[in-house]
Amino acid sequence: MTYDQLWRSLTPLYEAGEAKAIVRLLMKELFDFSLTDLCCGAVERLSAAQLQRLHGAHQRLLDAEPIQYVLGNATFCDRSFKVNPSVLIPRPETEELCQWVIEEEKKNRQTLSSSPQLLDLCTGSGCIAITLALELPDYEVTAWDVSLPALNTAKENARQLHAPVRFEQQDVLKLCSAPAQWQIMVSNPPYICENERSTMAPNVLRHEPELALFVPDDDPMRFYRAISNYAQWALLPGGQLFFEFNPLYEDFLWETLAGLGFSDIRLKDDSFGHTRFMTATR
């Protein structure tokens, strides 16, 4: 196979530009080939063992498996995170959520108590919790998820990146009121309705964990409502709650937080111009 044949074989699944990017990333990770190498025929000079390795990866891509799962890692905030089908692949938008949390924390740093605590709910791969633990070293960071396989992946990422995060299995839909302890709570929970399946790419539908993606059509805000109810008790006075959310439910989320007595409710757009993030203060 040539480089052109490789990327063209993926065009039933991806646009040409994305197909080329996927193949370039694959060849860089597998064989350390540059684009110049590929254009100069490096693929045709692979050994039999290398061709076998390439064939296996290529077949997985043809089955719409995301390149990040094929390679076993994804980049998030300039760090490499282990990923597998037990966790969602970290998205660029979620990097922006982390950046916003860090910016807001710097504004409020002078008013913080000693040993402030931060909680990441529905942590998945741990990308949010680990990033914030490394960028905000004064914080004690805890991360919750209901999925044990996801927690195992997150723990491995924390070990590899030397991030001091405490991981716990918790179902956020079953949280009770608790004494105030968190200075920051942040979450990117499931928010895609079942009826949106037909609009989604096959690489997401076939391979990423449904538990981390979908909510019932008749209760799309179930995670946000549960987390907000918990936050009204568990956040310290002046503490902040941060969400990534589906722009379709902006009004519902705003009304939920306002109804629970949160103040300074603010929105932020992602880099694509979609209203994607919200913060509120207890």
Side-chain angles (χ1 to χ4, degrees):
M1 259 196 178
T2 65
Y3 166 57
D4 277 355
Q5 289 172 325
L6 282 170
W7 73 257
R8 290 183 189 280
S9 71
L10 299 180
T11 53
L13 295 169
Y14 305 99
E15 293 183 356
E18 188 172 5
K20 292 177 182 179
I22 288 170
V23 171
R24 289 198 299 269
L25 178 58
L26 178 71
M27 303 306 285
K28 176 66 176 176
E29 291 292 319
L30 291 186
F31 310 116
D32 198 28
F33 285 169
S34 67
L35 178 57
T36 300
D37 294 329
L38 295 175
C39 293
C40 292
V43 180
E44 295 97 303
R45 296 190 293 272
L46 290 173
S47 67
Q50 289 173 321
L51 282 172
Q52 185 174 11
R53 188 180 180 195
L54 175 59
H55 177 73
H58 182 232
Q59 288 302 308
R60 293 172 67 181
L61 291 174
L62 291 176
D63 190 39
E65 187 170 354
I67 181 64
Q68 293 88 345
Y69 289 160
V70 174
L71 298 175
N73 63 78
T75 299
F76 184 85
C77 290
D78 297 323
R79 298 182 178 94
S80 180
F81 285 79
K82 177 181 178 180
V83 293
N84 54 55
S86 71
V87 299
L88 285 183
I89 297 165
R91 265 58 173 186
E93 297 91 328
T94 308
E95 293 185 356
E96 298 177 50
L97 174 64
C98 289
Q99 291 163 3
W100 196 25
V101 173
I102 294 166
E103 290 169 5
E104 288 292 309
E105 189 278 337
K106 289 179 180 178
K107 293 178 185 177
N108 301 325
R109 185 166 294 176
Q110 293 181 347
T111 64
L112 296 179
S113 59
S114 60
S115 299
Q117 296 191 57
L118 183 152
L119 176 63
D120 172 30
L121 304 97
C122 305
T123 193
S125 67
C127 61
I128 293 175
I130 291 168
T131 297
L132 295 179
L134 295 172
E135 297 295 332
L136 303 174
D138 292 336
Y139 278 74
E140 297 179 7
V141 178
T142 300
W144 291 348
D145 206 287
V146 70
S147 166
L148 281 176
L151 286 171
N152 289 335
T153 300
K155 290 176 182 177
E156 178 61 24
N157 282 323
R159 282 193 293 269
Q160 290 182 356
L161 293 167
H162 308 290
V165 180
R166 180 171 62 251
F167 294 97
E168 299 174 354
Q169 186 181 28
Q170 289 280 359
D171 185 346
V172 302
L173 296 178
K174 298 179 180 178
L175 296 175
C176 301
S177 59
Q181 68 178 109
W182 311 108
Q183 187 69 42
I184 294 174
M185 290 174 56
V186 57
S187 186
N188 177 24
Y191 59 67
I192 301 173
C193 287
E194 291 284 348
N195 61 22
E196 296 180 73
R197 283 178 179 269
S198 62
T199 67
M200 298 176 67
N203 58 319
V204 176
L205 283 176
R206 291 186 200 172
H207 298 282
E208 297 202 56
E210 293 193 0
L211 180 67
L213 287 169
F214 294 106
V215 289
D217 293 340
D218 61 355
D219 193 12
M221 299 299 290
R222 64 191 315 186
F223 286 95
Y224 295 92
R225 186 170 56 253
I227 293 169
S228 299
N229 283 332
Y230 174 73
Q232 71 172 322
W233 300 99
L235 268 177
L236 291 165
Q240 282 184 276
L241 173 62
F242 292 86
F243 281 129
E244 181 174 333
F245 68 96
N246 186 333
L248 293 173
Y249 303 107
E250 171 188 331
D251 291 343
F252 183 94
L253 182 54
W254 185 292
E255 291 167 5
T256 297
L257 292 169
L260 291 171
F262 286 90
S263 62
D264 192 26
I265 302 171
R266 287 176 285 138
L267 299 167
K268 187 176 179 66
D269 289 353
D270 62 25
S271 58
F272 301 102
H274 301 128
T275 303
R276 182 71 62 185
F277 316 111
M278 185 176 288
T279 186
T281 301
R282 184 186 171 202

